[in-house]
Amino acid sequence: MASPTLAVAVVFLFFSLPAAAVDALCNHDYQLVKIKSWIDGNKDTEYNGMTATFGSSLPAKLDQAVKSPALFADPVDCCSASTAKLSGSVALCVRGTCDFTTKASIAQSGGATAALMINDADELFEMNCPSNDTRVNISIPIVEVTKSTGETFKSYLTPKRKVEVLLYAPTRPVVDYSVVFLWLMAVGTVICASLWSDITAPDQYDERYNELSPKGTKAEAGKDDSEDLVNIDTKGAIVFVISASTFLVLLFFFMSSWFVWVLIILFCIGGIEGMHNCIVSLVLRKYPNCSQKTLNLPLFGEVSIFSLIVLLFCVTFAVLWIVFRHEAFSWFGQDFLGICLMITVLQMARLPNIKVATVLLCCAFIYDIFWVFISPAIFQKSVMITVARGDQAGGEAIPMLLRFPRLSDPWGGYDMIGFGDILFPGLLVSFSRRFDKDTKKEGFSGYFPWLIVGYGFGLFFTYLGLYMMNGNGQPALLYLVPCTLGVTVLLGCKRGELKNLWSYDADSPTSTKDSSEA
């Protein structure tokens, strides 16, 4: 009877030891740290840092942290006992000479309440234990700061001045409530693009594209704009996804500031055209006479004055966004240009039927999963996430996405969604709207409302997956494709209309009849 009891005791002890010694192990999760500072009692700048994989954790709330004086150790590398009195202070140590655990041990033995390790570069890197050391006895917080932060402290720490610091590590929410606004922007863009012809059709002249050409004049207002449309076929869908993959790999290997600048310029050109299209279409719907006044310009010929004024406004808007793209408010300009661009793209590019939609979305589905989840096995990094973060881009960010500031995140930042996560499902949603109109379907007897609901749920599942995966990047099409294409196929099967959806041809006179009789 003693043997089972002993076995249970040993197992219990085995699983209890790591928890009891957690502060001594070199396997802590890194914490981002805020460092508040005071100079001679006056509040100064707030700095950022990062903890090591060893040492004690910092409090998450400001009111739980303790203000302490900051002092440079002597010697400043903290590789031997300090002659400066560190008791009750935060020790400042420069990088070099010995490993971080040695520095931390010496600062702790001198009575320091914490240690700030100053890097030799203006970046933060991971502070780990030596490769041959898996357990250290460090019970104070160990935090790394950048070179510039260390130099600032050095300039303040003079015999006549007193510097105090307070260290805490506020928790970053995995999913910020700002995703609600991003969700609304994405769903709203898909709805607006799908209903755009209904919104702008009454009293609208055909001045959506090429407004600075003679085709934009009133004489051409009633001309059919079918020549501006691009009907995607199965071959084009496959080629498009392959081209997107190739471009993504090029960005991954050759990402640089000039490469991102090319994308910024292309984005602005597309955004200007999209913004111009949206403004002109909306205004001419209400005030069609605005296009009647024209003037002759060299190279362009007869031009609508109203269209020219709108174009100049759009160019000015895009230029201002470029100038202020690093400011906190620049997300608004980027989102506005992006939404107008996507609405225009969804008017120009169309899916003819579900067969093409299936090929395109299934290829995009595999594309998204591969470049997010599988690519690390080949490239050592997630290609999609690396490109989205803009690594090696010289501080520039790729503009082909919508973003919204993380309002409840103490560290700031943005929640983002790529244009592809809106455009790919948006093409199918737009098709469903046209199909409902052609077949005289209204409300939930059609497909459009169901796909809007499906797209909204797909985005919800994307952010739920983001939460479940602790903030790691998610391939949104993993959730969006089943919630849109899957809903279409299931509804088509249930209603006996899948065959017509699969081979639908809006130009065929029998399409509407066949569908209405199904």
Side-chain angles (χ1 to χ4, degrees):
M1 294 296 292
S3 181
T5 303
L6 180 61
V8 171
V10 170
V11 171
F12 180 80
L13 180 61
F14 176 77
F15 284 107
S16 298
L17 283 175
V22 68
D23 280 338
L25 295 177
C26 293
N27 62 354
H28 281 277
D29 290 332
Y30 294 105
Q31 290 179 292
L32 291 176
V33 179
K34 286 188 177 292
I35 305 168
K36 288 186 173 292
S37 62
W38 288 262
I39 310 298
D40 293 331
N42 299 316
K43 191 173 182 179
D44 194 59
T45 309
E46 183 176 85
Y47 304 95
N48 295 332
M50 185 173 69
T51 61
T53 58
F54 53 89
S56 63
S57 300
L58 287 166
K61 296 182 179 180
L62 178 62
D63 56 9
Q64 296 175 341
V66 178
K67 185 193 298 185
S68 303
L71 295 174
F72 269 101
D74 187 13
V76 292
D77 60 6
C78 294
C79 290
S80 58
S82 175
T83 58
K85 296 182 179 180
L86 301 177
S87 181
S89 302
V90 174
L92 298 175
C93 308
V94 298
R95 184 179 181 183
T97 310
C98 59
D99 58 66
F100 291 114
T101 54
T102 300
K103 297 174 186 289
S105 297
I106 290 174
Q108 178 176 281
S109 63
T113 59
L116 294 183
M117 305 293 179
I118 302 172
N119 195 13
D120 53 8
D122 277 330
E123 59 183 2
L124 299 175
F125 72 101
E126 298 177 352
M127 288 193 298
N128 299 306
C129 293
S131 57
N132 60 349
D133 191 0
T134 60
R135 188 179 294 272
V136 293
N137 187 25
I138 305 298
S139 59
I140 60 174
I142 308 299
V143 178
E144 180 193 19
V145 295
T146 63
K147 178 182 179 180
S148 58
T149 300
E151 290 175 346
T152 301
F153 280 129
K154 183 178 181 180
S155 65
Y156 287 154
L157 283 167
T158 62
K160 296 181 179 181
R161 305 182 79 176
K162 179 181 180 182
V163 177
E164 296 173 293
V165 295
L166 183 149
L167 313 177
Y168 71 111
T171 304
R172 160 168 274 173
V174 176
V175 179
D176 189 277
Y177 65 81
S178 61
V179 299
V180 174
F181 296 96
L182 198 64
W183 184 94
L184 290 172
M185 283 197 294
V187 174
T189 299
V190 172
I191 293 174
C192 285
S194 302
L195 298 177
W196 194 254
S197 60
D198 297 326
I199 295 171
T200 60
D203 305 321
Q204 177 188 340
Y205 293 129
D206 185 22
E207 291 204 14
R208 298 192 305 164
Y209 312 108
N210 299 323
E211 288 292 338
L212 293 180
S213 69
K215 292 189 296 183
T217 63
K218 183 180 177 181
E220 297 289 336
K223 184 178 179 180
D224 181 18
D225 63 353
S226 60
E227 62 186 28
D228 295 314
L229 302 179
V230 177
N231 285 308
I232 303 172
D233 56 18
T234 53
K235 181 180 178 181
I238 296 172
V239 169
F240 178 79
V241 174
I242 292 175
S243 300
S245 296
T246 303
F247 188 70
L248 192 67
V249 172
L250 289 175
L251 280 173
F252 178 77
F253 283 109
F254 304 106
M255 173 83 71
S256 62
S257 58
W258 71 264
F259 207 150
V260 176
W261 261 108
V262 171
L263 295 180
I264 290 174
I265 293 172
L266 292 175
F267 167 73
C268 286
I269 292 173
I272 289 170
E273 182 176 357
M275 187 176 173
H276 180 266
N277 163 55
C278 292
I279 294 175
V280 170
S281 299
L282 290 173
V283 173
L284 290 185
R285 174 192 178 275
K286 190 71 175 177
Y287 306 102
N289 293 332
C290 288
S291 63
Q292 292 183 354
K293 294 183 179 180
T294 62
L295 55 82
N296 286 312
L297 290 179
L299 302 179
F300 297 105
E302 190 177 10
V303 176
S304 165
I305 296 177
F306 169 72
S307 176
L308 180 61
I309 293 173
V310 173
L311 178 63
L312 294 175
F313 170 76
C314 295
V315 171
T316 302
F317 187 93
V319 170
L320 288 175
W321 174 77
I322 291 177
V323 172
F324 296 104
R325 68 190 181 280
H326 296 304
E327 300 297 329
F329 55 81
S330 66
W331 63 271
F332 176 80
Q334 179 174 325
D335 289 353
F336 191 77
L337 288 169
I339 289 172
C340 291
L341 171 61
M342 286 187 285
I343 289 175
T344 302
V345 169
L346 290 174
Q347 299 307 300
M348 298 175 63
R350 295 187 175 185
L351 294 175
N353 49 50
I354 295 302
K355 178 175 73 173
V356 177
T358 300
V359 173
L360 177 65
L361 291 180
C362 286
C363 288
F365 179 81
I366 296 171
Y367 161 90
D368 222 18
I369 294 174
F370 178 84
W371 292 114
V372 174
F373 285 155
I374 302 176
S375 61
I378 303 173
F379 300 94
Q380 283 72 54
K381 294 180 181 179
S382 173
V383 173
M384 184 77 77
I385 294 175
T386 301
V387 170
R389 283 201 309 255
D391 293 356
Q392 301 177 345
E396 298 294 345
I398 294 176
M400 276 61 174
L401 44 81
L402 299 184
R403 56 185 183 136
F404 196 90
R406 296 171 64 95
L407 301 175
S408 64
D409 190 338
W411 298 98
Y414 297 87
D415 284 308
M416 299 173 287
I417 183 170
F419 286 177
D421 300 329
I422 298 174
L423 290 173
F424 283 120
L427 287 168
L428 177 59
V429 177
S430 295
F431 165 77
S432 71
R433 174 57 183 169
R434 296 194 305 274
F435 182 82
D436 287 355
K437 288 179 65 177
D438 291 344
T439 56
K440 307 297 189 294
K441 294 180 181 294
E442 296 182 358
F444 283 94
S445 63
Y447 292 85
F448 174 66
W450 289 106
L451 286 186
I452 289 296
V453 172
Y455 181 73
F457 271 103
L459 281 181
F460 170 78
F461 291 139
T462 300
Y463 293 118
L464 181 62
L466 188 70
Y467 174 79
M468 298 296 290
M469 295 290 287
N470 296 320
N472 293 323
Q474 294 292 294
L477 294 177
L478 170 65
Y479 309 94
L480 293 171
V481 171
C483 289
T484 51
L485 181 62
V487 168
T488 306
V489 172
L490 289 175
L491 280 177
C493 289
K494 182 179 179 181
R495 296 171 177 177
E497 298 175 342
L498 184 59
K499 182 178 179 181
N500 187 47
L501 285 166
W502 185 261
S503 57
Y504 183 72
D505 182 0
D507 297 326
S508 173
T510 61
S511 294
T512 302
K513 180 180 177 182
D514 292 344
S515 179
S516 62
E517 292 177 352

